[in-house]
Amino acid sequence: MSNDEIFAAAYREHYWAVSRYVARRLDGRSGEVEEVVADVFTVAWRRRDDLPPTPLPWLYGVARNCLANAVRGYGRRRRLVDRLGNDDAAHGRHIMESPDAEGPGAWVHDALARLSPADREVLRLTAWEELGVDEIAVALGCGSRAAAMRLHRARRRLRAEIDHIQPPAHAYAPAADTTPGKEHRHG
């Protein structure tokens, strides 16, 4: 199979997985998803000689770099719009959600948002993209042992953040009086 055919097969097989990967990371900016995915496959086309036998983790690594470029560009555009005073909030079009509009499981997203970008990425690769440690290593451009350690540490930090946001249920239970000879009376 030629490199062109290998690329075409990778594109057909992994386009939607890469699109989902990008969309989840561009939360709320769906207009940029197609642009970033196009960048990913442009890079893959240029580097089609480098496509590994299992290209998806490699494509995720390319997507990470393309996303970083897109986020930097978005930040530059946002700062320019803010300087010009032409944003939605300045024209009264900003819509605030009510405090009770929190979706189910939002506290997990809050805990995840408190982590470093590197921790968030390794957790997303395993949870959202369902990659194993070896595939995470390819996507992150590191060794398998380093990927396993990053995943372990990120999980530990996420657990700490979750515990910080949602203390264990037993923290709210009234303490039982264990004084000898003391009886509980109801009435």
Side-chain angles (χ1 to χ4, degrees):
M1 197 182 308
S2 74
N3 287 340
D4 292 355
E5 292 168 330
I6 291 170
F7 169 82
Y11 179 84
R12 279 190 310 274
E13 187 175 341
H14 301 300
Y15 177 85
W16 291 111
V18 171
S19 293
R20 286 187 303 272
Y21 173 93
V22 170
R24 286 190 280 257
R25 284 153 180 83
L26 286 177
D27 187 41
R29 298 196 323 259
S30 58
E32 294 181 52
V33 172
E34 287 183 27
E35 185 177 329
V36 172
V37 172
D39 290 344
V40 170
F41 284 102
T42 299
V43 169
W45 170 256
R46 283 190 211 125
R47 296 188 54 203
R48 63 190 177 276
D49 297 342
D50 300 332
L51 277 172
T54 306
L56 187 58
W58 183 84
L59 288 168
Y60 286 154
V62 172
R64 283 182 65 228
N65 294 332
C66 291
L67 278 163
N69 290 337
V71 167
R72 281 191 297 274
Y74 177 79
R76 284 190 297 272
R77 285 189 301 278
R78 186 74 234 155
R79 286 188 299 278
L80 177 61
V81 167
D82 288 345
R83 277 197 312 265
L84 295 174
N86 194 24
D87 62 355
D88 289 342
H91 296 284
R93 291 188 296 251
H94 189 70
I95 299 171
M96 294 292 292
E97 289 189 31
S98 68
D100 59 347
E102 182 176 300
W107 56 271
V108 174
H109 293 285
D110 290 344
L112 193 60
R114 293 171 180 243
L115 299 178
S116 71
D119 283 349
R120 287 193 305 262
E121 182 61 13
V122 73
L123 290 167
R124 288 172 176 159
L125 285 169
T126 191
W128 288 354
E129 314 316 330
E130 300 178 355
L131 298 185
V133 172
D134 292 336
E135 295 166 318
I136 291 170
V138 172
L140 296 179
C142 64
S144 293
R145 292 176 67 151
M149 184 56 70
R150 288 181 189 181
L151 180 58
H152 172 74
R153 289 177 178 160
R155 284 178 172 159
R156 189 179 64 222
R157 287 189 275 264
L158 179 62
R159 168 80 338 221
E161 288 300 332
I162 288 172
D163 289 345
H164 178 73
I165 292 171
Q166 295 271 324
H170 67 273
Y172 296 114
D177 189 351
T178 57
T179 306
K182 192 105 171 193
E183 295 179 5
H184 290 88
R185 293 193 181 147
H186 301 280

